[in-house]
């Protein structure tokens, strides 16, 4: 019997917004749980894509031993990705960050609301 992708893997859908790539658009990817960086509204690293290479870049000086943080709400998740996740009762990384920051779910237009 063939299982659906949601049952087979432990992962998170994430994205790198257009302004941090040289691809002419954003970059959406599946992030395995073997890799984990916590959320902060004041991140110290961001994702970038340059010449087809995905990498992390410090956006401020990072002290030795300091934990790395992304801002999950700043990934520029494309609408198609968010819709795909919502239809399957999943959350992408940006939805998770929005939830952490106090957004209260989807409104009638399918956008996350803060009240």
């Amino acid at each position: 019997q063939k299982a659906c992708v949601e049952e087979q893997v432990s992962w998170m859908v994430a994205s790198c917004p257009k302004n941090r790539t040289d691809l002419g658009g954003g970059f959406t990817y599946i992030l395995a749980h073997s890799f984990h960086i916590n959320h902060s509204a004041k991140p110290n690293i961001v994702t970038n894509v340059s010449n087809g290479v995905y990498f992390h870049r410090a956006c401020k000086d990072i002290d030795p031993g300091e934990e790395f943080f992304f801002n999950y709400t700043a990934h520029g998740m494309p609408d198609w990705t968010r819709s795909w996740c919502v239809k399957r009762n999943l959350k992408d990384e940006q939805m998770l960050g929005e939830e952490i920051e106090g957004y209260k779910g989807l409104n009638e237009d399918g956008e996350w609301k803060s009240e």
Side-chain angles (χ1 to χ4, degrees):
Q1 181 177 349
K2 194 174 185 180
C4 65
V5 68
E6 297 90 3
E7 295 170 346
Q8 294 182 33
V9 294
S10 177
W11 51 274
M12 179 70 70
V13 177
S15 190
C16 184
K18 179 181 179 177
N19 65 326
R20 292 198 314 256
T21 75
D22 61 0
L23 303 172
F27 178 78
T28 300
Y29 54 95
I30 295 177
L31 185 65
H33 278 228
S34 61
F35 174 84
H36 181 81
I37 296 178
N38 283 321
H39 165 74
S40 173
K42 297 180 180 179
N44 54 14
I45 64 170
V46 295
T47 55
N48 285 330
V49 177
S50 181
N51 295 317
V53 177
Y54 169 87
F55 63 96
H56 306 292
R57 179 180 56 80
C59 56
K60 69 174 212 72
D61 290 339
I62 301 172
D63 294 324
E66 183 178 349
E67 183 175 358
F68 293 144
F69 289 101
F70 280 136
N71 181 346
Y72 291 178
T73 67
H75 286 284
M77 196 65 62
D79 291 341
W80 69 266
T81 304
R82 298 184 83 145
S83 296
W84 186 89
C85 289
V86 168
K87 286 178 186 174
R88 290 159 179 81
N89 200 29
L90 301 171
K91 293 178 189 158
D92 61 54
E93 189 173 40
Q94 187 166 321
M95 287 179 192
L96 177 60
E98 290 168 346
E99 199 171 85
I100 291 167
E101 292 296 323
Y103 288 67
K104 304 298 182 195
L106 297 173
N107 65 22
E108 58 277 356
D109 296 322
E111 299 169 342
W112 283 83
K113 55 187 177 183
S114 58
E115 297 296 326

